[in-house]
Amino acid sequence: MCGIIGAVAVRDVVPILIEGLKRLEYRGYDSSGLATINGEQLERKRAVGKISKLEAKLKKKSLSSKIGIAHTRWATHGKANQANAHPHFSKDNIAVVHNGIIENHSKLRETLEKAGYEFSSDTDTEVIAHQIHYHLKQGKNLYAAFLASLAMIEGTYAIAMISPLMPDSLFAARRGSPLIVGIGVGEYFLASDAAALISVTQRVIYLEDGDIVELQRDNMTITDMAGNPVERIEHISKLQADAVERGEYRHYMQKEIFEQPQAIIDTLEGRIHNGRVLEAAFGPNAGELFSKIEAVQIIACGTSYHAGMVARYWIESLAKLPCTVEIASEFRYRKPLPNPKALVVTLSQSGETADTLAALAETKRLGFGPSLAICNVPESSLVRASDLVLMTHAGPEIGVASTKAFTTQLLSLLMLTVVLARRRGMTAETENQIVTAIQSLPRQIEKMLTLNDSIEKLAEQFADKHNALFLGRGIHYPIAMEGALKLKEISYIHAEAYPAGELKHGPLALVDDKMPVIAVAPNDDLQEKLKSNLQEVNARGGQLFVFANHSSMKQGFDYINVIETGEVDEIISPIIYTIPLQLLSYHVALIKGTDVDQPRNLAKAVTVE
Ligand code: F6R
C-alpha cells in the first residue's frame, strides 16, 4: 500500500527520503517519487517500478535540498505509470503526496477543470494539489488554503505538502490513514509507518485523525481542523534496525517463517505464570469486561480471518461461548444485529486495515459489547480504538504474505480461549494441560522447520501446476484455507480450500491426474473420515500430498506423498500444521521465480477500502 516519507532538516534530505522509501518497500508499491524545493522552485523525480529505478534517475541528475516529500504508490485511481506517480504538483508551487482515497474526487475535479485547472494524471490526489492552489488564489495563506482544501475532501487521507511559498515548512494532515512525526535534533520527519524512520530517529508522535501538522527545522505545530492547537504525546519506537534486515535469509518471508519459534516465545513472555494464562495480559480491566460477555464476535481480513476461523472451534468447544467469525469488508455493510454482550475481537497484523477499522467502528455504532484487538503493531489505529489489547510480539513482518503474525495470532486466540473458558468452569487441570502444550510450541515448531529440505524437494512437483486443491476437516479446514491463500498469493497458482467432506458436493469434478490435492490430516477424531474423502480423490487419479502424523496414512493409496509431522498435541495442531504449508508455498514460489516478498498487485497494509 502507499507509503509517505518527508523531512525538513539542516542537512540534505534526499538520501533520507530514499532510505525511507526503501524501508517502505515491503508495504507493496508500483511506482515512487520525491519532490524537493530548490531556491524558489519545486523539483521532482518519479519512476515506475522499484526504488532502484528512481535512484538511477537521481544518479543522472541529482537533487539536493533541506526539505522534501516522497512516496511509494500502490495504484487505486489510475494505472501504475509515471504520470500517476506522486508527488503531484499544481502550477509548480504546490507539491503533495497522499495515501488513502478521495471519494468525491470526480466532483472536485470537474469543478477545478471548469476553473481552468489542467490535470496531468488520473489520480484522486492531483485534485488536492489544485484545490490548495485554488484557495491560495482566493487570497488565503498556505496553511489556510491547506485547511480549506481538507474541509472539501470526502474520504480518507494522510497528506504531506510542500511549497516554495513557505520553503521551510512541511505541512501534513491525517484522516483515516496512519501518519507519524519523527523528532530529530534540529530536524523533523514525517512517515506513514515508523519503519521508514528507523535510520533517523526513534522519537515519534502518532498523529490522530483530524490532526494538521506544520514541521519546520526547529519547530512543530499540531492543530485540529479548526486551527486550535492540540497536544500529542511523544513515544519511543521499539522498532530495531536489525529487526527489519534480512540477514542471512534470501527473503523476508523465509526469515519470518524461521523466526516463528522466537515470535511464539516473545508473545508468551509475561503472559503465563504458574501454569495459568494471566487475564491481566489483556488489559487492566479485562476481568471486569470479560465477566459480562456471553458471546464472541471475531472480525478480520485475509490470513487474520483464517486465524479467527480456527479460534471459533476453540472458543465454542472449550469456553462454551457462541462465536461468530466474519470478514470485515462484509460485516461493515451487512447491518448485523448488535449483541451488547458480545466481545468484539479484531485480528490484524498491521492494525491499519481499513475494512477492519471500519467494522470495529460499526460494532461501536451499533452497540456491540467491549472490543479486544489482537494486533502486531503497537500504537496502530486498531490498538488505539480498542478497549482491550493483546499484542502479538511477532516483531516487524515485512514479507507481504503473513506467516509469523498468523501463528502468533493463533497463540493469542488460544490464550484468550483459556481465559474465557476458565471463567466458565474449565478446570485447573485442563488449563494446565493446554498451557503445557502451549509452552511446547517453540520446540515443536523447530521440529516442523526441519521438514524444510524434504518440502523443498516436494515443491518441484508443483512447478508446472496451474491449480491445487487444499483439504482439511474441522479445525484444520481454516488451516487448509490459509495454505491455499499462501500458495496463490506468492506462487500465483490458483488454489482453493474445501472442507474434505464437501468434495463430493461439487469440487470432486475438478480432480484428475493433473490436480495436486494437499490434505492436512493430523491424528484427530476426523482422520478416518478424512481418509475416506482422500480415497474419493485417489479413485479419480488425483495426486495426493498429505501432511500427517505418521506414514501409515499411505496404505491403500496409489499416488500419495506423505509428509510426516510426528505426534502433535491436538490443541496446538492447527499452529503446527501451518508451518509445512508455509514452507511449501515458499519453495513453490522460489521455483516459479516470483517476487516472494512483494507479490504482484498486493500490499502489506491494506489501508484503503
Ligand atoms: C495474506 C495476508 C493478508 C492479510 C490481510 C489482513 O498473507 O497477509 O491476507 O492477512 O490483508 O491484514 P492485517 O492482518 O494487517 O489486518
Side-chain angles (χ1 to χ4, degrees):
M1 211 75 343
C2 304
I4 290 177
I5 168 99
V8 48
V10 273
R11 50 180 163 156
D12 180 13
V13 298
V14 173
I16 298 172
L17 298 180
I18 292 290
E19 171 71 22
L21 289 179
K22 285 184 182 164
R23 292 190 183 274
L24 290 171
E25 279 192 294
Y26 78 95
R27 294 164 68 100
Y29 68 105
D30 39 51
S31 54
S32 62
L34 60 82
T36 54
I37 300 173
N38 192 354
E40 294 192 349
Q41 284 231 303
L42 278 175
E43 291 188 314
R44 163 170 75 175
K45 285 274 178 279
R46 297 181 290 176
V48 177
K50 298 278 172 193
I51 307 291
S52 54
K53 299 256 172 65
L54 183 66
E55 281 184 291
K57 286 195 169 176
L58 285 166
K59 269 201 186 109
K60 276 192 201 145
K61 188 180 176 304
S62 72
L63 296 185
S64 163
S65 177
K66 306 219 159 59
I67 186 165
I69 51 176
H71 191 261
T72 48
R73 174 172 187 257
W74 185 80
T76 52
H77 289 85
K79 287 202 178 97
N81 57 27
Q82 181 165 313
N84 288 335
H86 301 208
H88 289 287
F89 285 4
S90 181
K91 311 274 183 197
D92 283 339
N93 69 12
I94 300 292
V96 293
V97 292
H98 159 233
N99 291 353
I101 290 179
I102 310 296
E103 281 167 6
N104 58 339
H105 77 104
S106 310
K107 224 169 96 202
L108 295 175
R109 189 181 179 117
E110 220 179 282
T111 318
L112 287 161
E113 275 170 345
K114 278 190 194 137
Y117 285 90
E118 276 176 31
F119 282 75
S120 59
S121 78
D122 307 317
T123 65
D124 50 349
T125 303
E126 196 180 349
V127 161
I128 307 170
H130 293 316
Q131 196 68 59
I132 298 169
H133 187 273
Y134 173 82
H135 286 295
L136 278 174
K137 255 191 11 197
Q138 309 304 304
K140 291 193 163 60
N141 66 29
L142 193 57
Y143 173 74
F146 189 50
L147 276 192
S149 305
L150 296 177
M152 297 180 75
I153 290 174
E154 286 164 22
T156 57
Y157 53 74
I159 299 172
M161 173 194 69
I162 52 171
S163 165
L165 298 175
M166 288 181 74
D168 300 320
S169 292
L170 194 168
F171 291 90
R174 174 200 159 135
R175 186 166 81 199
S177 266
L179 204 53
I180 298 164
V181 173
I183 306 166
V185 180
E187 50 193 16
Y188 280 98
F189 310 96
L190 186 80
S192 50
D193 182 327
L197 300 178
I198 237 167
S199 54
V200 281
T201 186
Q202 281 186 292
R203 296 171 59 201
V204 294
I205 287 175
Y206 297 94
L207 295 177
E208 305 214 345
D209 278 352
D211 285 356
I212 319 287
V213 63
E214 180 183 355
L215 300 175
Q216 293 167 321
R217 277 193 285 279
D218 46 10
N219 190 38
M220 168 179 60
T221 317
I222 308 179
T223 64
D224 62 16
M225 294 282 285
N228 306 308
V230 290
E231 290 283 328
R232 297 285 172 243
I233 300 163
E234 182 183 323
H235 297 262
I236 299 297
S237 164
K238 293 198 182 70
L239 270 186
Q240 303 280 327
D242 62 353
V244 287
E245 304 296 347
R246 239 186 313 122
E248 75 211 62
Y249 293 96
R250 204 163 149 192
H251 295 100
Y252 283 110
M253 182 185 181
Q254 184 191 27
K255 176 179 180 242
E256 287 155 8
I257 291 174
F258 280 85
E259 274 174 352
Q260 287 176 106
Q262 190 57 47
I264 296 282
I265 292 170
D266 293 344
T267 304
L268 277 176
E269 200 189 301
R271 271 114 187 226
I272 287 184
H273 186 61
N274 281 342
R276 309 194 81 196
V277 180
L278 302 178
E279 196 167 60
F282 294 85
N285 54 343
E288 189 209 325
L289 296 178
F290 286 164
S291 70
K292 295 184 188 132
I293 64 148
E294 288 173 11
V296 177
Q297 171 69 62
I298 300 179
I299 303 170
C301 301
T303 288
S304 298
Y305 167 70
H306 296 156
M309 284 187 71
V310 171
R312 184 173 62 142
Y313 290 86
W314 285 329
I315 291 171
E316 294 211 336
S317 66
L318 295 166
K320 314 281 182 221
L321 283 164
C323 175
T324 334
V325 190
E326 197 158 344
I327 289 175
S329 54
E330 288 298 315
F331 181 93
R332 62 185 288 194
Y333 294 115
R334 188 170 61 82
K335 303 190 175 56
L337 292 178
N339 179 352
K341 301 232 155 152
L343 173 72
V344 175
V345 180
T346 53
L347 305 171
S348 177
Q349 188 289 126
S350 61
E352 302 295 349
T353 301
D355 286 321
T356 308
L357 287 168
L360 173 62
E362 185 64 1
T363 63
K364 289 187 183 173
R365 198 184 66 79
L366 291 169
F368 274 79
S371 56
L372 162 68
I374 293 181
C375 186
N376 198 39
V377 179
E379 302 290 331
S380 57
S381 306
L382 194 69
V383 165
R384 281 181 283 127
S386 302
D387 302 315
L388 299 171
V389 173
L390 187 76
M391 296 308 302
T392 48
H393 292 148
E397 192 180 66
I398 308 292
V400 163
S402 190
T403 51
K404 59 179 181 171
F406 178 66
T407 44
T408 52
Q409 279 172 350
L410 288 177
L411 167 63
S412 306
L413 287 160
L414 186 51
M415 291 196 281
L416 173 68
T417 305
V418 169
V419 165
L420 297 177
R422 192 199 298 144
R423 291 195 156 269
R424 304 177 74 84
M426 178 193 266
T427 63
E429 195 192 340
T430 310
E431 175 166 1
N432 248 277
Q433 280 166 6
I434 298 176
V435 166
T436 307
I438 285 178
Q439 285 171 325
S440 75
L441 270 169
R443 191 168 26 87
Q444 300 224 35
I445 294 176
E446 289 286 3
K447 209 172 108 204
M448 286 302 112
L449 291 170
T450 63
L451 294 174
N452 183 56
D453 293 355
S454 45
I455 292 175
E456 185 176 3
K457 269 207 142 57
L458 194 77
E460 288 165 15
Q461 300 189 48
F462 285 79
D464 60 341
K465 299 287 186 287
H466 298 291
N467 301 289
L469 214 51
F470 282 71
L471 301 178
R473 289 199 72 138
I475 199 165
H476 296 96
Y477 164 49
I479 299 304
M481 292 174 80
E482 175 58 10
L485 178 61
K486 285 290 92 93
L487 189 71
K488 68 185 136 194
E489 71 182 320
I490 63 167
S491 74
Y492 315 150
I493 292 177
H494 169 239
E496 292 298 332
Y498 276 94
E502 190 64 10
L503 261 191
K504 54 189 173 297
H505 299 291
L508 202 53
L510 292 170
V511 174
D512 61 14
D513 59 1
K514 287 180 200 64
M515 175 65 93
V517 178
I518 301 106
V520 187
N523 184 18
D524 60 13
D525 293 353
L526 292 169
Q527 197 185 47
E528 282 310 312
K529 291 201 183 299
L530 180 73
K531 259 187 179 172
S532 8
N533 302 138
L534 298 186
Q535 282 297 353
E536 295 160 10
V537 174
N538 187 60
R540 274 102 193 148
Q543 304 179 354
L544 283 165
F545 298 85
V546 181
F547 293 88
N549 55 310
H550 201 264
S551 62
S552 63
M553 272 296 284
K554 273 190 184 149
Q555 284 157 20
F557 290 93
D558 301 319
Y559 187 100
I560 188 166
N561 289 274
V562 175
I563 304 89
E564 265 185 80
T565 59
E567 291 312 320
V568 176
D569 207 312
E570 201 174 323
I571 189 80
I572 53 166
S573 119
I575 307 179
I576 300 298
Y577 275 82
T578 300
I579 313 295
L581 296 181
Q582 294 171 343
L583 288 170
L584 179 67
S585 60
Y586 174 70
H587 286 296
V588 174
L590 272 194
I591 295 169
K592 297 205 73 178
T594 56
D595 191 343
V596 172
D597 284 332
Q598 289 165 30
R600 67 185 181 203
N601 308 338
L602 298 182
K604 184 65 186 160
V606 186
T607 50
V608 293
E609 187 177 350

